[in-house]
């Protein structure tokens, strides 16, 4: 936690703290650090937090995974991040019937 005070724009600290609190089932603090990371830079936070949401969904914490994805829906995500090279393989994340759906292209 001290790292977030010393280096407030180093996003990895927020990702790790969110994950640690999630593992401890402290959803309030986990969500606090998720929101801080997205507030600082939604574009840089997108993939790491989508991975965390994926893990949450695998652990049957669907509502929490959905909360993360919903948070991104009201954030400014750079449209350039969504453009893909035709040779790129990507896993697309989506919510379907309350479950995180992953499609590989």
């Amino acid at each position: 936690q001290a790292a977030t005070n010393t280096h407030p724009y180093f996003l990895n600290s927020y990702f790790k703290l969110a994950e640690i609190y999630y593992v401890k089932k402290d959803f309030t603090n986990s969500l606090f650090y998720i929101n801080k990371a997205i507030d600082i830079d939604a574009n840089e936070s997108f993939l790491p937090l989508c991975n965390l949401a994926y893990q949450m969904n695998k652990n049957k914490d669907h509502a929490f995974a959905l909360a993360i994805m919903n948070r991104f829906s009201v954030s400014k995500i750079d449209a350039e991040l969504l453009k893909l090279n035709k040779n790129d393989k990507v896993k697309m994340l989506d919510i379907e019937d309350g479950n995180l759906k992953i499609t590989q292209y």
Side-chain angles (χ1 to χ4, degrees):
Q1 290 173 330
T4 61
N5 294 330
T6 308
H7 305 287
Y9 297 104
F10 185 62
L11 292 173
N12 283 340
S13 298
Y14 297 99
F15 304 147
K16 292 296 182 191
L17 285 166
E19 186 176 1
I20 289 167
Y21 281 115
Y22 169 71
V23 169
K24 291 181 166 188
K25 300 294 184 193
D26 184 344
F27 299 120
T28 301
N29 279 316
S30 183
L31 195 57
F32 173 79
Y33 287 106
I34 288 166
N35 282 323
K36 287 289 283 183
I38 294 171
D39 287 342
I40 291 169
D41 192 334
N43 295 310
E44 292 295 320
S45 299
F46 187 74
L47 287 177
L49 293 179
C50 282
N51 287 332
L52 182 57
Y54 173 72
Q55 291 302 318
M56 292 172 176
N57 196 58
K58 281 178 52 176
N59 293 336
K60 308 286 189 227
D61 291 321
H62 306 298
F64 201 47
L66 184 61
I68 292 174
M69 300 311 290
N70 283 342
R71 176 62 171 81
F72 279 113
S73 72
V74 296
S75 300
K76 293 180 180 177
I77 301 290
D78 188 354
E80 292 296 316
L81 288 177
L82 303 177
K83 292 182 180 178
L84 300 174
N85 181 314
K86 65 179 179 180
N87 296 321
D88 287 344
K89 290 187 176 180
V90 67
K91 289 183 176 177
M92 299 297 291
L93 300 175
D94 197 10
I95 303 293
E96 188 175 280
D97 298 324
N99 293 310
L100 197 59
K101 178 184 170 191
I102 301 172
T103 308
Q104 179 140 359
Y105 295 96

